[in-house]
Every structure is written in structure tokens, then in C-alpha cells.
Amino acid sequence: MGRHKARSNKHRRPAIKSYVEQKCPYCGQKLVFRTADEMGIKEEEGVNFWACSHYPECDAYVRTNKNSRVPRGTVANKELRELRTKAHNVFNRLYTSGYMTKQDAYIWLKSIVGCTGHNAHIGQFSEYYCKLVIKEANKFIRNNPKHFKKVG
């Protein structure tokens, strides 16, 4: 009979504060939970959003984990969301190329942004850290050209 040891609380991610009481970091208005349909955003089923109550005038929002109200990062406006996407894309090349494992890529990321533990999530990065990741990952790729195919 297989026994499964219960995962202890010390290994779980810390609970994210309820977004019900949070304010938009851009305009100070209340954040509200909305479906992708309400937002007019095509998304995979089960993904919803915490958005500024003044959306779309204030375009700040964050996606949730599938079938959950748990945000996948912090609320961001269009510019920050685009920077996070660019940072993810160049960062992902470090391990999708086979040059390093995903775990090694996250160790590299932590060293670049100077964080420890489970804090290296691009979905929580500011513009400054996104730009830093983009710059440093591109530099790493340029310095190791035989391991990375040219993109676009």
C-alpha cells in the first residue's frame, strides 16, 4: 500500500492577501474579480482576472490561476504586462534551448534580481526588474551564441 506523506505547511506558498480589499496601484480604485468575458478578453476557460473597477479606462489587471481567484502575479498596466511578456520570452529561451535546466534558469534569475527562496516570479516584477532580466538574458544569449538559435 502506498503511503503519501502530507505536504507540510512550511513548503507551501504563502497565502496571497485577499484582493477584495486591495486598491489599484495606478489610480487607487478598488480591485474587482471579473471573468474573461466581462473583460472582453479571450482567455482559456477558467482564467479570470482581478481588475481595476475603472477598467477599461484604467487598464490595470492581473490574471488568476485557472479555476481560482488566486492572482498569477501583481496588478499591472499594459506597459508592465508587455515588459513582463518580453522578460518571460527571453528568460524562457535559457532553458528551452537546452543550455540549462529550468531549475538552473531560475537560479540564474534569482542571482540577477538578487532574491532568494521562491520570490523570483516575473509576474511580480516591476518595470525595473523586467528591463534588467531582458538586458541580462539577452547579454547571456549573445555571449553563448552556439547554444541559442536566432529568433525573428
Side-chain angles (χ1 to χ4, degrees):
M1 216 187 295
R3 287 187 171 185
H4 297 297
K5 188 175 178 182
R7 192 172 183 190
S8 72
N9 284 338
K10 75 177 187 174
H11 295 293
R12 293 184 187 196
R13 279 191 166 165
I16 297 174
K17 287 183 182 178
S18 170
Y19 264 60
V20 173
E21 300 167 12
Q22 299 292 320
K23 302 282 184 198
C24 174
Y26 297 95
C27 72
Q29 297 301 312
K30 182 180 170 185
L31 295 180
V32 294
F33 183 77
R34 292 194 171 158
T35 66
D37 285 342
E38 289 172 323
M39 298 278 290
I41 298 174
K42 291 189 184 218
E43 204 34 92
E44 62 183 290
E45 192 173 328
V47 174
N48 297 299
F49 298 86
W50 283 102
C52 178
S53 59
H54 284 188
Y55 180 87
E57 293 81 15
C58 176
D59 72 346
Y61 62 82
V62 62
R63 292 171 43 155
T64 65
N65 288 324
K66 200 169 183 180
N67 300 315
S68 155
R69 289 181 172 244
V70 177
R72 294 187 60 150
T74 61
V75 174
N77 65 7
K78 182 178 181 180
E79 292 78 21
L80 181 53
R81 290 191 306 272
E82 288 174 353
L83 272 175
R84 286 176 176 172
T85 297
K86 288 178 185 175
H88 265 290
N89 289 342
V90 71
F91 168 73
N92 290 349
R93 288 187 65 200
L94 300 179
Y95 64 87
T96 59
S97 68
Y99 184 74
M100 60 177 74
T101 66
K102 190 171 186 176
Q103 181 179 1
D104 288 339
Y106 274 99
I107 291 168
W108 175 89
L109 180 63
K110 290 175 189 181
S111 74
I112 294 301
V113 298
C115 69
T116 59
H118 299 287
N119 298 332
H121 298 286
I122 293 171
Q124 297 177 354
F125 287 0
S126 66
E127 288 181 16
Y128 171 82
Y129 285 110
C130 287
K131 288 176 182 177
L132 180 64
V133 169
I134 293 165
K135 176 184 157 196
E136 293 300 321
N138 279 325
K139 184 166 79 173
F140 187 90
I141 290 166
R142 274 193 314 278
N143 291 337
N144 297 281
K146 67 181 180 177
H147 299 286
F148 299 95
K149 294 178 182 172
K150 290 221 181 225
V151 173

PDB file of all heavy atoms in Angstrom, residues 64-100:
ATOM      1  N   THR A  64      -5.777  35.285 -13.088  1.00  0.00           N
ATOM      2  CA  THR A  64      -5.799  34.351 -11.961  1.00  0.00           C
ATOM      3  C   THR A  64      -5.320  32.983 -12.434  1.00  0.00           C
ATOM      4  O   THR A  64      -5.283  32.705 -13.635  1.00  0.00           O
ATOM      5  CB  THR A  64      -7.215  34.177 -11.384  1.00  0.00           C
ATOM      6  OG1 THR A  64      -8.051  33.562 -12.383  1.00  0.00           O
ATOM      7  CG2 THR A  64      -7.798  35.488 -10.919  1.00  0.00           C
ATOM      8  N   ASN A  65      -4.977  32.153 -11.471  1.00  0.00           N
ATOM      9  CA  ASN A  65      -4.743  30.757 -11.795  1.00  0.00           C
ATOM     10  C   ASN A  65      -6.069  30.182 -12.281  1.00  0.00           C
ATOM     11  O   ASN A  65      -7.146  30.648 -11.901  1.00  0.00           O
ATOM     12  CB  ASN A  65      -4.257  29.988 -10.567  1.00  0.00           C
ATOM     13  CG  ASN A  65      -2.846  30.365 -10.201  1.00  0.00           C
ATOM     14  OD1 ASN A  65      -2.008  30.628 -11.058  1.00  0.00           O
ATOM     15  ND2 ASN A  65      -2.573  30.402  -8.913  1.00  0.00           N
ATOM     16  N   LYS A  66      -5.984  29.153 -13.094  1.00  0.00           N
ATOM     17  CA  LYS A  66      -7.171  28.540 -13.675  1.00  0.00           C
ATOM     18  C   LYS A  66      -8.114  28.052 -12.573  1.00  0.00           C
ATOM     19  O   LYS A  66      -7.682  27.431 -11.597  1.00  0.00           O
ATOM     20  CB  LYS A  66      -6.741  27.376 -14.566  1.00  0.00           C
ATOM     21  CG  LYS A  66      -7.761  26.962 -15.569  1.00  0.00           C
ATOM     22  CD  LYS A  66      -7.153  25.993 -16.563  1.00  0.00           C
ATOM     23  CE  LYS A  66      -8.180  25.646 -17.617  1.00  0.00           C
ATOM     24  NZ  LYS A  66      -7.647  24.724 -18.597  1.00  0.00           N
ATOM     25  N   ASN A  67      -9.406  28.358 -12.745  1.00  0.00           N
ATOM     26  CA  ASN A  67     -10.467  27.949 -11.810  1.00  0.00           C
ATOM     27  C   ASN A  67     -10.191  28.381 -10.377  1.00  0.00           C
ATOM     28  O   ASN A  67     -10.432  27.645  -9.431  1.00  0.00           O
ATOM     29  CB  ASN A  67     -10.699  26.437 -11.887  1.00  0.00           C
ATOM     30  CG  ASN A  67     -11.117  26.004 -13.269  1.00  0.00           C
ATOM     31  OD1 ASN A  67     -11.962  26.632 -13.898  1.00  0.00           O
ATOM     32  ND2 ASN A  67     -10.504  24.953 -13.772  1.00  0.00           N
ATOM     33  N   SER A  68      -9.681  29.592 -10.230  1.00  0.00           N
ATOM     34  CA  SER A  68      -9.289  30.088  -8.920  1.00  0.00           C
ATOM     35  C   SER A  68      -9.403  31.611  -8.898  1.00  0.00           C
ATOM     36  O   SER A  68      -9.541  32.249  -9.927  1.00  0.00           O
ATOM     37  CB  SER A  68      -7.837  29.654  -8.677  1.00  0.00           C
ATOM     38  OG  SER A  68      -7.178  30.479  -7.793  1.00  0.00           O
ATOM     39  N   ARG A  69      -9.326  32.156  -7.717  1.00  0.00           N
ATOM     40  CA  ARG A  69      -9.257  33.606  -7.558  1.00  0.00           C
ATOM     41  C   ARG A  69      -7.843  34.041  -7.195  1.00  0.00           C
ATOM     42  O   ARG A  69      -7.604  35.196  -6.890  1.00  0.00           O
ATOM     43  CB  ARG A  69     -10.233  34.068  -6.476  1.00  0.00           C
ATOM     44  CG  ARG A  69     -11.690  33.951  -6.910  1.00  0.00           C
ATOM     45  CD  ARG A  69     -12.637  34.438  -5.819  1.00  0.00           C
ATOM     46  NE  ARG A  69     -13.974  34.489  -6.335  1.00  0.00           N
ATOM     47  CZ  ARG A  69     -14.669  35.626  -6.467  1.00  0.00           C
ATOM     48  NH1 ARG A  69     -14.168  36.765  -6.088  1.00  0.00           N
ATOM     49  NH2 ARG A  69     -15.893  35.586  -6.958  1.00  0.00           N
ATOM     50  N   VAL A  70      -6.902  33.103  -7.231  1.00  0.00           N
ATOM     51  CA  VAL A  70      -5.521  33.399  -6.856  1.00  0.00           C
ATOM     52  C   VAL A  70      -4.816  34.069  -8.034  1.00  0.00           C
ATOM     53  O   VAL A  70      -4.729  33.508  -9.127  1.00  0.00           O
ATOM     54  CB  VAL A  70      -4.770  32.105  -6.457  1.00  0.00           C
ATOM     55  CG1 VAL A  70      -3.314  32.404  -6.144  1.00  0.00           C
ATOM     56  CG2 VAL A  70      -5.456  31.444  -5.269  1.00  0.00           C
ATOM     57  N   PRO A  71      -4.303  35.284  -7.830  1.00  0.00           N
ATOM     58  CA  PRO A  71      -3.627  36.004  -8.914  1.00  0.00           C
ATOM     59  C   PRO A  71      -2.309  35.351  -9.291  1.00  0.00           C
ATOM     60  O   PRO A  71      -1.636  34.761  -8.454  1.00  0.00           O
ATOM     61  CB  PRO A  71      -3.407  37.401  -8.336  1.00  0.00           C
ATOM     62  CG  PRO A  71      -3.414  37.208  -6.867  1.00  0.00           C
ATOM     63  CD  PRO A  71      -4.310  36.042  -6.582  1.00  0.00           C
ATOM     64  N   ARG A  72      -1.932  35.500 -10.563  1.00  0.00           N
ATOM     65  CA  ARG A  72      -0.679  34.924 -11.071  1.00  0.00           C
ATOM     66  C   ARG A  72       0.472  35.907 -10.976  1.00  0.00           C
ATOM     67  O   ARG A  72       1.511  35.695 -11.576  1.00  0.00           O
ATOM     68  CB  ARG A  72      -0.867  34.493 -12.507  1.00  0.00           C
ATOM     69  CG  ARG A  72      -1.854  33.345 -12.631  1.00  0.00           C
ATOM     70  CD  ARG A  72      -1.890  32.832 -14.014  1.00  0.00           C
ATOM     71  NE  ARG A  72      -0.552  32.372 -14.367  1.00  0.00           N
ATOM     72  CZ  ARG A  72      -0.304  31.401 -15.210  1.00  0.00           C
ATOM     73  NH1 ARG A  72      -1.287  30.793 -15.795  1.00  0.00           N
ATOM     74  NH2 ARG A  72       0.923  31.037 -15.483  1.00  0.00           N
ATOM     75  N   GLY A  73       0.303  36.967 -10.270  1.00  0.00           N
ATOM     76  CA  GLY A  73       1.333  37.991 -10.124  1.00  0.00           C
ATOM     77  C   GLY A  73       0.717  39.186  -9.445  1.00  0.00           C
ATOM     78  O   GLY A  73      -0.207  39.049  -8.638  1.00  0.00           O
ATOM     79  N   THR A  74       1.185  40.355  -9.819  1.00  0.00           N
ATOM     80  CA  THR A  74       0.626  41.584  -9.275  1.00  0.00           C
ATOM     81  C   THR A  74      -0.095  42.354 -10.375  1.00  0.00           C
ATOM     82  O   THR A  74       0.168  42.153 -11.561  1.00  0.00           O
ATOM     83  CB  THR A  74       1.728  42.482  -8.662  1.00  0.00           C
ATOM     84  OG1 THR A  74       2.665  42.836  -9.685  1.00  0.00           O
ATOM     85  CG2 THR A  74       2.436  41.785  -7.509  1.00  0.00           C
ATOM     86  N   VAL A  75      -0.989  43.212  -9.977  1.00  0.00           N
ATOM     87  CA  VAL A  75      -1.745  44.036 -10.925  1.00  0.00           C
ATOM     88  C   VAL A  75      -0.765  44.887 -11.727  1.00  0.00           C
ATOM     89  O   VAL A  75       0.173  45.463 -11.175  1.00  0.00           O
ATOM     90  CB  VAL A  75      -2.752  44.933 -10.174  1.00  0.00           C
ATOM     91  CG1 VAL A  75      -3.435  45.904 -11.118  1.00  0.00           C
ATOM     92  CG2 VAL A  75      -3.775  44.065  -9.453  1.00  0.00           C
ATOM     93  N   ALA A  76      -0.991  44.941 -13.043  1.00  0.00           N
ATOM     94  CA  ALA A  76      -0.090  45.679 -13.926  1.00  0.00           C
ATOM     95  C   ALA A  76      -0.875  46.381 -15.020  1.00  0.00           C
ATOM     96  O   ALA A  76      -1.910  45.885 -15.460  1.00  0.00           O
ATOM     97  CB  ALA A  76       0.919  44.716 -14.547  1.00  0.00           C
ATOM     98  N   ASN A  77      -0.344  47.513 -15.461  1.00  0.00           N
ATOM     99  CA  ASN A  77      -0.938  48.194 -16.606  1.00  0.00           C
ATOM    100  C   ASN A  77      -0.375  47.590 -17.895  1.00  0.00           C
ATOM    101  O   ASN A  77       0.449  46.679 -17.854  1.00  0.00           O
ATOM    102  CB  ASN A  77      -0.704  49.709 -16.530  1.00  0.00           C
ATOM    103  CG  ASN A  77       0.765  50.090 -16.634  1.00  0.00           C
ATOM    104  OD1 ASN A  77       1.641  49.263 -16.888  1.00  0.00           O
ATOM    105  ND2 ASN A  77       1.045  51.359 -16.419  1.00  0.00           N
ATOM    106  N   LYS A  78      -0.819  48.079 -19.032  1.00  0.00           N
ATOM    107  CA  LYS A  78      -0.438  47.500 -20.321  1.00  0.00           C
ATOM    108  C   LYS A  78       1.074  47.489 -20.512  1.00  0.00           C
ATOM    109  O   LYS A  78       1.644  46.481 -20.943  1.00  0.00           O
ATOM    110  CB  LYS A  78      -1.107  48.266 -21.465  1.00  0.00           C
ATOM    111  CG  LYS A  78      -0.802  47.697 -22.825  1.00  0.00           C
ATOM    112  CD  LYS A  78      -1.509  48.441 -23.929  1.00  0.00           C
ATOM    113  CE  LYS A  78      -1.183  47.818 -25.271  1.00  0.00           C
ATOM    114  NZ  LYS A  78      -1.854  48.512 -26.362  1.00  0.00           N
ATOM    115  N   GLU A  79       1.734  48.590 -20.190  1.00  0.00           N
ATOM    116  CA  GLU A  79       3.181  48.676 -20.387  1.00  0.00           C
ATOM    117  C   GLU A  79       3.925  47.625 -19.567  1.00  0.00           C
ATOM    118  O   GLU A  79       4.825  46.956 -20.067  1.00  0.00           O
ATOM    119  CB  GLU A  79       3.700  50.082 -20.047  1.00  0.00           C
ATOM    120  CG  GLU A  79       3.247  51.171 -20.991  1.00  0.00           C
ATOM    121  CD  GLU A  79       1.798  51.638 -20.753  1.00  0.00           C
ATOM    122  OE1 GLU A  79       1.252  51.431 -19.655  1.00  0.00           O
ATOM    123  OE2 GLU A  79       1.216  52.205 -21.686  1.00  0.00           O
ATOM    124  N   LEU A  80       3.530  47.470 -18.304  1.00  0.00           N
ATOM    125  CA  LEU A  80       4.201  46.493 -17.454  1.00  0.00           C
ATOM    126  C   LEU A  80       3.875  45.064 -17.900  1.00  0.00           C
ATOM    127  O   LEU A  80       4.757  44.202 -17.912  1.00  0.00           O
ATOM    128  CB  LEU A  80       3.841  46.701 -15.982  1.00  0.00           C
ATOM    129  CG  LEU A  80       4.507  45.751 -14.987  1.00  0.00           C
ATOM    130  CD1 LEU A  80       6.033  45.734 -15.140  1.00  0.00           C
ATOM    131  CD2 LEU A  80       4.114  46.137 -13.561  1.00  0.00           C
ATOM    132  N   ARG A  81       2.638  44.815 -18.306  1.00  0.00           N
ATOM    133  CA  ARG A  81       2.294  43.481 -18.808  1.00  0.00           C
ATOM    134  C   ARG A  81       3.138  43.125 -20.032  1.00  0.00           C
ATOM    135  O   ARG A  81       3.633  42.001 -20.170  1.00  0.00           O
ATOM    136  CB  ARG A  81       0.801  43.378 -19.127  1.00  0.00           C
ATOM    137  CG  ARG A  81      -0.096  43.381 -17.906  1.00  0.00           C
ATOM    138  CD  ARG A  81      -1.537  43.010 -18.242  1.00  0.00           C
ATOM    139  NE  ARG A  81      -2.146  43.803 -19.291  1.00  0.00           N
ATOM    140  CZ  ARG A  81      -2.790  44.952 -19.123  1.00  0.00           C
ATOM    141  NH1 ARG A  81      -2.917  45.476 -17.905  1.00  0.00           N
ATOM    142  NH2 ARG A  81      -3.329  45.575 -20.143  1.00  0.00           N
ATOM    143  N   GLU A  82       3.332  44.096 -20.936  1.00  0.00           N
ATOM    144  CA  GLU A  82       4.150  43.857 -22.127  1.00  0.00           C
ATOM    145  C   GLU A  82       5.611  43.598 -21.750  1.00  0.00           C
ATOM    146  O   GLU A  82       6.255  42.709 -22.325  1.00  0.00           O
ATOM    147  CB  GLU A  82       4.034  45.024 -23.098  1.00  0.00           C
ATOM    148  CG  GLU A  82       2.693  45.070 -23.794  1.00  0.00           C
ATOM    149  CD  GLU A  82       2.477  46.307 -24.658  1.00  0.00           C
ATOM    150  OE1 GLU A  82       3.335  47.237 -24.632  1.00  0.00           O
ATOM    151  OE2 GLU A  82       1.452  46.344 -25.362  1.00  0.00           O
ATOM    152  N   LEU A  83       6.136  44.347 -20.789  1.00  0.00           N
ATOM    153  CA  LEU A  83       7.507  44.111 -20.339  1.00  0.00           C
ATOM    154  C   LEU A  83       7.647  42.731 -19.702  1.00  0.00           C
ATOM    155  O   LEU A  83       8.645  42.036 -19.918  1.00  0.00           O
ATOM    156  CB  LEU A  83       7.941  45.176 -19.329  1.00  0.00           C
ATOM    157  CG  LEU A  83       8.558  46.434 -19.887  1.00  0.00           C
ATOM    158  CD1 LEU A  83       8.810  47.446 -18.767  1.00  0.00           C
ATOM    159  CD2 LEU A  83       9.856  46.136 -20.618  1.00  0.00           C
ATOM    160  N   ARG A  84       6.671  42.329 -18.919  1.00  0.00           N
ATOM    161  CA  ARG A  84       6.720  41.006 -18.303  1.00  0.00           C
ATOM    162  C   ARG A  84       6.699  39.908 -19.360  1.00  0.00           C
ATOM    163  O   ARG A  84       7.412  38.909 -19.247  1.00  0.00           O
ATOM    164  CB  ARG A  84       5.556  40.822 -17.320  1.00  0.00           C
ATOM    165  CG  ARG A  84       5.757  41.611 -16.039  1.00  0.00           C
ATOM    166  CD  ARG A  84       4.559  41.498 -15.133  1.00  0.00           C
ATOM    167  NE  ARG A  84       4.781  42.186 -13.859  1.00  0.00           N
ATOM    168  CZ  ARG A  84       3.846  42.381 -12.952  1.00  0.00           C
ATOM    169  NH1 ARG A  84       2.615  41.923 -13.150  1.00  0.00           N
ATOM    170  NH2 ARG A  84       4.129  43.016 -11.831  1.00  0.00           N
ATOM    171  N   THR A  85       5.912  40.093 -20.415  1.00  0.00           N
ATOM    172  CA  THR A  85       5.868  39.118 -21.503  1.00  0.00           C
ATOM    173  C   THR A  85       7.225  39.028 -22.191  1.00  0.00           C
ATOM    174  O   THR A  85       7.731  37.926 -22.449  1.00  0.00           O
ATOM    175  CB  THR A  85       4.768  39.485 -22.523  1.00  0.00           C
ATOM    176  OG1 THR A  85       3.507  39.435 -21.854  1.00  0.00           O
ATOM    177  CG2 THR A  85       4.761  38.540 -23.711  1.00  0.00           C
ATOM    178  N   LYS A  86       7.842  40.172 -22.474  1.00  0.00           N
ATOM    179  CA  LYS A  86       9.173  40.177 -23.102  1.00  0.00           C
ATOM    180  C   LYS A  86      10.197  39.511 -22.189  1.00  0.00           C
ATOM    181  O   LYS A  86      11.041  38.736 -22.651  1.00  0.00           O
ATOM    182  CB  LYS A  86       9.609  41.609 -23.420  1.00  0.00           C
ATOM    183  CG  LYS A  86       8.869  42.229 -24.568  1.00  0.00           C
ATOM    184  CD  LYS A  86       9.308  43.662 -24.793  1.00  0.00           C
ATOM    185  CE  LYS A  86       8.462  44.318 -25.873  1.00  0.00           C
ATOM    186  NZ  LYS A  86       8.792  45.744 -26.041  1.00  0.00           N
ATOM    187  N   ALA A  87      10.138  39.819 -20.899  1.00  0.00           N
ATOM    188  CA  ALA A  87      11.080  39.216 -19.948  1.00  0.00           C
ATOM    189  C   ALA A  87      10.886  37.701 -19.906  1.00  0.00           C
ATOM    190  O   ALA A  87      11.868  36.951 -19.917  1.00  0.00           O
ATOM    191  CB  ALA A  87      10.903  39.838 -18.562  1.00  0.00           C
ATOM    192  N   HIS A  88       9.629  37.246 -19.855  1.00  0.00           N
ATOM    193  CA  HIS A  88       9.353  35.799 -19.865  1.00  0.00           C
ATOM    194  C   HIS A  88       9.907  35.156 -21.130  1.00  0.00           C
ATOM    195  O   HIS A  88      10.532  34.089 -21.071  1.00  0.00           O
ATOM    196  CB  HIS A  88       7.843  35.528 -19.799  1.00  0.00           C
ATOM    197  CG  HIS A  88       7.330  35.274 -18.433  1.00  0.00           C
ATOM    198  ND1 HIS A  88       7.616  34.143 -17.714  1.00  0.00           N
ATOM    199  CD2 HIS A  88       6.520  36.014 -17.641  1.00  0.00           C
ATOM    200  CE1 HIS A  88       7.018  34.194 -16.541  1.00  0.00           C
ATOM    201  NE2 HIS A  88       6.344  35.323 -16.470  1.00  0.00           N
ATOM    202  N   ASN A  89       9.662  35.778 -22.264  1.00  0.00           N
ATOM    203  CA  ASN A  89      10.082  35.190 -23.532  1.00  0.00           C
ATOM    204  C   ASN A  89      11.591  34.997 -23.611  1.00  0.00           C
ATOM    205  O   ASN A  89      12.077  33.935 -23.989  1.00  0.00           O
ATOM    206  CB  ASN A  89       9.581  36.020 -24.714  1.00  0.00           C
ATOM    207  CG  ASN A  89       8.087  35.914 -24.905  1.00  0.00           C
ATOM    208  OD1 ASN A  89       7.440  34.994 -24.394  1.00  0.00           O
ATOM    209  ND2 ASN A  89       7.511  36.861 -25.616  1.00  0.00           N
ATOM    210  N   VAL A  90      12.354  36.009 -23.238  1.00  0.00           N
ATOM    211  CA  VAL A  90      13.810  35.886 -23.321  1.00  0.00           C
ATOM    212  C   VAL A  90      14.332  34.976 -22.211  1.00  0.00           C
ATOM    213  O   VAL A  90      15.246  34.184 -22.422  1.00  0.00           O
ATOM    214  CB  VAL A  90      14.504  37.269 -23.353  1.00  0.00           C
ATOM    215  CG1 VAL A  90      14.421  37.980 -22.033  1.00  0.00           C
ATOM    216  CG2 VAL A  90      15.952  37.139 -23.800  1.00  0.00           C
ATOM    217  N   PHE A  91      13.741  35.044 -21.025  1.00  0.00           N
ATOM    218  CA  PHE A  91      14.149  34.161 -19.929  1.00  0.00           C
ATOM    219  C   PHE A  91      13.898  32.699 -20.285  1.00  0.00           C
ATOM    220  O   PHE A  91      14.757  31.837 -20.075  1.00  0.00           O
ATOM    221  CB  PHE A  91      13.398  34.532 -18.644  1.00  0.00           C
ATOM    222  CG  PHE A  91      13.534  33.503 -17.560  1.00  0.00           C
ATOM    223  CD1 PHE A  91      14.722  33.351 -16.870  1.00  0.00           C
ATOM    224  CD2 PHE A  91      12.467  32.675 -17.237  1.00  0.00           C
ATOM    225  CE1 PHE A  91      14.858  32.383 -15.876  1.00  0.00           C
ATOM    226  CE2 PHE A  91      12.595  31.712 -16.250  1.00  0.00           C
ATOM    227  CZ  PHE A  91      13.793  31.564 -15.567  1.00  0.00           C
ATOM    228  N   ASN A  92      12.732  32.401 -20.857  1.00  0.00           N
ATOM    229  CA  ASN A  92      12.383  31.019 -21.214  1.00  0.00           C
ATOM    230  C   ASN A  92      13.385  30.415 -22.197  1.00  0.00           C
ATOM    231  O   ASN A  92      13.615  29.204 -22.191  1.00  0.00           O
ATOM    232  CB  ASN A  92      10.980  30.938 -21.785  1.00  0.00           C
ATOM    233  CG  ASN A  92       9.910  31.177 -20.751  1.00  0.00           C
ATOM    234  OD1 ASN A  92      10.175  31.215 -19.547  1.00  0.00           O
ATOM    235  ND2 ASN A  92       8.689  31.366 -21.201  1.00  0.00           N
ATOM    236  N   ARG A  93      14.002  31.241 -23.037  1.00  0.00           N
ATOM    237  CA  ARG A  93      14.982  30.735 -24.001  1.00  0.00           C
ATOM    238  C   ARG A  93      16.171  30.083 -23.296  1.00  0.00           C
ATOM    239  O   ARG A  93      16.807  29.194 -23.864  1.00  0.00           O
ATOM    240  CB  ARG A  93      15.482  31.859 -24.903  1.00  0.00           C
ATOM    241  CG  ARG A  93      14.445  32.309 -25.906  1.00  0.00           C
ATOM    242  CD  ARG A  93      14.997  33.303 -26.890  1.00  0.00           C
ATOM    243  NE  ARG A  93      16.020  32.684 -27.718  1.00  0.00           N
ATOM    244  CZ  ARG A  93      16.929  33.364 -28.397  1.00  0.00           C
ATOM    245  NH1 ARG A  93      16.965  34.684 -28.337  1.00  0.00           N
ATOM    246  NH2 ARG A  93      17.827  32.740 -29.144  1.00  0.00           N
ATOM    247  N   LEU A  94      16.468  30.514 -22.078  1.00  0.00           N
ATOM    248  CA  LEU A  94      17.624  29.968 -21.367  1.00  0.00           C
ATOM    249  C   LEU A  94      17.478  28.475 -21.130  1.00  0.00           C
ATOM    250  O   LEU A  94      18.458  27.733 -21.185  1.00  0.00           O
ATOM    251  CB  LEU A  94      17.840  30.697 -20.041  1.00  0.00           C
ATOM    252  CG  LEU A  94      18.100  32.197 -20.123  1.00  0.00           C
ATOM    253  CD1 LEU A  94      18.259  32.785 -18.727  1.00  0.00           C
ATOM    254  CD2 LEU A  94      19.318  32.508 -20.987  1.00  0.00           C
ATOM    255  N   TYR A  95      16.250  28.017 -20.860  1.00  0.00           N
ATOM    256  CA  TYR A  95      16.081  26.584 -20.624  1.00  0.00           C
ATOM    257  C   TYR A  95      15.426  25.845 -21.787  1.00  0.00           C
ATOM    258  O   TYR A  95      15.668  24.661 -21.976  1.00  0.00           O
ATOM    259  CB  TYR A  95      15.346  26.303 -19.303  1.00  0.00           C
ATOM    260  CG  TYR A  95      13.939  26.794 -19.205  1.00  0.00           C
ATOM    261  CD1 TYR A  95      12.881  26.025 -19.644  1.00  0.00           C
ATOM    262  CD2 TYR A  95      13.656  28.041 -18.651  1.00  0.00           C
ATOM    263  CE1 TYR A  95      11.569  26.478 -19.541  1.00  0.00           C
ATOM    264  CE2 TYR A  95      12.358  28.498 -18.545  1.00  0.00           C
ATOM    265  CZ  TYR A  95      11.324  27.715 -18.992  1.00  0.00           C
ATOM    266  OH  TYR A  95      10.040  28.168 -18.895  1.00  0.00           O
ATOM    267  N   THR A  96      14.616  26.525 -22.599  1.00  0.00           N
ATOM    268  CA  THR A  96      14.013  25.819 -23.732  1.00  0.00           C
ATOM    269  C   THR A  96      15.056  25.505 -24.802  1.00  0.00           C
ATOM    270  O   THR A  96      14.846  24.611 -25.626  1.00  0.00           O
ATOM    271  CB  THR A  96      12.843  26.610 -24.359  1.00  0.00           C
ATOM    272  OG1 THR A  96      13.316  27.877 -24.805  1.00  0.00           O
ATOM    273  CG2 THR A  96      11.700  26.767 -23.366  1.00  0.00           C
ATOM    274  N   SER A  97      16.166  26.207 -24.768  1.00  0.00           N
ATOM    275  CA  SER A  97      17.260  25.946 -25.700  1.00  0.00           C
ATOM    276  C   SER A  97      17.997  24.665 -25.340  1.00  0.00           C
ATOM    277  O   SER A  97      18.735  24.115 -26.144  1.00  0.00           O
ATOM    278  CB  SER A  97      18.253  27.102 -25.670  1.00  0.00           C
ATOM    279  OG  SER A  97      18.922  27.119 -24.403  1.00  0.00           O
ATOM    280  N   GLY A  98      17.810  24.211 -24.102  1.00  0.00           N
ATOM    281  CA  GLY A  98      18.549  23.049 -23.624  1.00  0.00           C
ATOM    282  C   GLY A  98      19.887  23.423 -23.010  1.00  0.00           C
ATOM    283  O   GLY A  98      20.616  22.574 -22.507  1.00  0.00           O
ATOM    284  N   TYR A  99      20.223  24.709 -23.047  1.00  0.00           N
ATOM    285  CA  TYR A  99      21.505  25.157 -22.497  1.00  0.00           C
ATOM    286  C   TYR A  99      21.573  24.949 -20.984  1.00  0.00           C
ATOM    287  O   TYR A  99      22.609  24.628 -20.439  1.00  0.00           O
ATOM    288  CB  TYR A  99      21.746  26.625 -22.848  1.00  0.00           C
ATOM    289  CG  TYR A  99      23.100  27.116 -22.398  1.00  0.00           C
ATOM    290  CD1 TYR A  99      24.241  26.723 -23.090  1.00  0.00           C
ATOM    291  CD2 TYR A  99      23.242  27.950 -21.310  1.00  0.00           C
ATOM    292  CE1 TYR A  99      25.495  27.150 -22.693  1.00  0.00           C
ATOM    293  CE2 TYR A  99      24.493  28.379 -20.904  1.00  0.00           C
ATOM    294  CZ  TYR A  99      25.613  27.984 -21.591  1.00  0.00           C
ATOM    295  OH  TYR A  99      26.848  28.409 -21.197  1.00  0.00           O
ATOM    296  N   MET A 100      20.433  25.136 -20.327  1.00  0.00           N
ATOM    297  CA  MET A 100      20.368  24.902 -18.888  1.00  0.00           C
ATOM    298  C   MET A 100      19.006  24.327 -18.555  1.00  0.00           C
ATOM    299  O   MET A 100      18.086  24.390 -19.365  1.00  0.00           O
ATOM    300  CB  MET A 100      20.651  26.188 -18.086  1.00  0.00           C
ATOM    301  CG  MET A 100      19.705  27.345 -18.325  1.00  0.00           C
ATOM    302  SD  MET A 100      20.017  28.805 -17.294  1.00  0.00           S
ATOM    303  CE  MET A 100      21.488  29.501 -18.013  1.00  0.00           C
TER     304      MET A 100
END
